[in-house]
Amino acid sequence: MCGIIARVGDGSAIDPLLTGLENLEYRGYDSAGVAVQNGSGIDVQKRSGKVADLKRSIDDVPLEGAVGIGHTRWSTHGPPTDENAHPHTDHVGDIAVVHNGIIENHATLKAELAETGHEFTSETDTEVIPHLIQSFIDDGMDTEPAFRRAIDELEGSYAVAAMRSGEHVLYAARQGSPLVVGIEDDGFFLASDVPAFLEYTDTVVYLEDGDVVIVDGNGIEYTDLAGNQIDRERETVEWDPEQAGKGEYEHFMLKEIHEQPTSIAQAIEGRIDPGRGSIDLEGFEPGTFENVDAVQFVACGTSYHAALYGSTALNQAGISSTALLANEYSVSAPPIDDNTLVVAVTQSGETADTLNALRSADAAGAKTLTVTNVIGSTASRVADETLLIRAGPEIGVAATKTFSSQAVMLVLLANRITADITGEPRTDLRSLLEALNSMPARIETLLERSQAESVARRYGNSQSYFFIGRGLGYSVALEGALKFKEITYEHAEGFASGELKHGPLALVTPDTPLFAVFTGTEDEKTMKNAAEAQTRGSPVIALCPPDHEATEMADEHLEIPETDPALAGLLANVQLQLVSYYAADQLGRPIDKPRNLAKSVTVE
């Protein structure tokens, strides 16, 4: 879950490297470092802390060179210390390496290298890579074959970028961790994600597992590990560089909450026709899913909650569906056959657990589809089909606009699957699509009128926070609790409304605010469950339209506009995102960089 940036070309590499690290800090922010060719060797500057700390530490150190690599870390092996920060070098400082992933056989390699005189200075798995490369150079190999031989020795997941003193060349490879090439007029980038270099170029090449690239200032060579040349297509990223900045907002999270009207409009553009009552998902002709007997969704974290939303929508339509945690899929997957559709939901398309579940489903013969935000991601290459959510770049670690876009796309997908299997669309499809078409405007209105900040202020010092919902509101309750605990560090739990009386009521006190999501389906039962907590002292905050009867019993009301029950939970979710944001802001939390978390989880 670390962030890699590298550049080779004309001019100094240091400014693009530092810019790239700042843009990648959502991938890890416990240490950072850079290495550049300084004309007489490799100059490495690294330290624990954030990229800003690194920049301050090198203000008085002149770093120059047209070739360089950088890294921002999320710790897996060894705590965040100066010694464990990347880049890492071999024992003579001739090779420098940055790495994202986990080298599973690093202990064996380290022991073998130590026996031949190599001395290690960190606790990381990464440090074996430059030592391994140097060991093969010591045996008489040139840099390129030594790099390939070292990569061949590695077991596990990795994206690696390396440089050698005195060479105007970058060497890189990937296996199970993302790596993308950026192409500009006077040079090349390598990075874990496009936002790293988006302000410099929008021309990219997505590398695939097993790729090895050799880059100098004049060109780039794409090969497999054996050295055979391969073709990789250039693509143009349709993201505006300004989308990767905070603009007028104090935090990326608040900016991305306010971008949801745009992201949802982009998600549905050209895909729905409310007048005709039709759904047109590109690449999925009518009848695509007619032989599907069961649908399994696999995902992690926020994407799992979106998957649960889609699965619930399918079950309500009478189609057998299950949402499963991707990290449990290998031990608890339901039976699969060639009439099973497995849908992998992943914002980045690089989530290791979800990719493993996707590969497992593919090996078992299932039809596979991924719902993702990133063109060219690993998930889109592994799955049979891809459905893009078109949310644009999301930098905040706590997912906001991508959750709502995922859920919207899964509602559309659920309706297409239902129509293909049953032969008939839902009877009120035109009404649903009209409500979906109006959703961006309704979110705009909600954002303008929200009282979430005052609610967060009123209950900001509570002991614990409960979130409940029923049906489609249940996944929203889970997501609301996850957002709250992620960025406030306060205890929060989400429950199916009816489960309160089966244990959680024992935890309810006057210091336990309860947020109740009302979707227009079985609201009477949810009100009864909320009242059970209220009679035991819990203040109730109702998320519902202004004329809903829950406003009469609740202690507080966060308004959501009237809409189709299939979408009401997603409007409530926006209010819950705002509550979490303002509660965290009042507590002085680092909202965009919550402790111990990173944006894209590329390790198991």
Side-chain angles (χ1 to χ4, degrees), residues 451-474:
Q451 298 299 307
E453 185 172 7
S454 63
V455 169
R457 189 180 303 114
R458 192 166 296 119
Y459 299 105
N461 294 315
S462 299
Q463 183 179 25
S464 189
Y465 301 81
F466 282 4
F467 298 75
I468 64 169
R470 189 177 292 265
L472 290 169
Y474 171 45

Side-chain angles (χ1 to χ4, degrees), residues 62 71 79 81 91 109 170 176 187 206 226 249 308 312 380 468 479 488 490 513 531 535 585 597 601 604:
H71 189 271
T81 63
H91 59 297
L109 293 172
L170 291 172
Y206 293 98
Y249 296 93
L308 184 60
T312 302
S380 67
I468 64 169
E479 174 62 11
T488 68
E490 301 298 314
T535 59
D585 194 41
L597 301 177
V601 185
E604 295 180 72

Side-chain angles (χ1 to χ4, degrees), residues 298-314:
V298 293
C300 300
T302 286
S303 292
Y304 170 72
H305 298 153
L308 184 60
Y309 202 95
S311 176
T312 302
L314 270 173

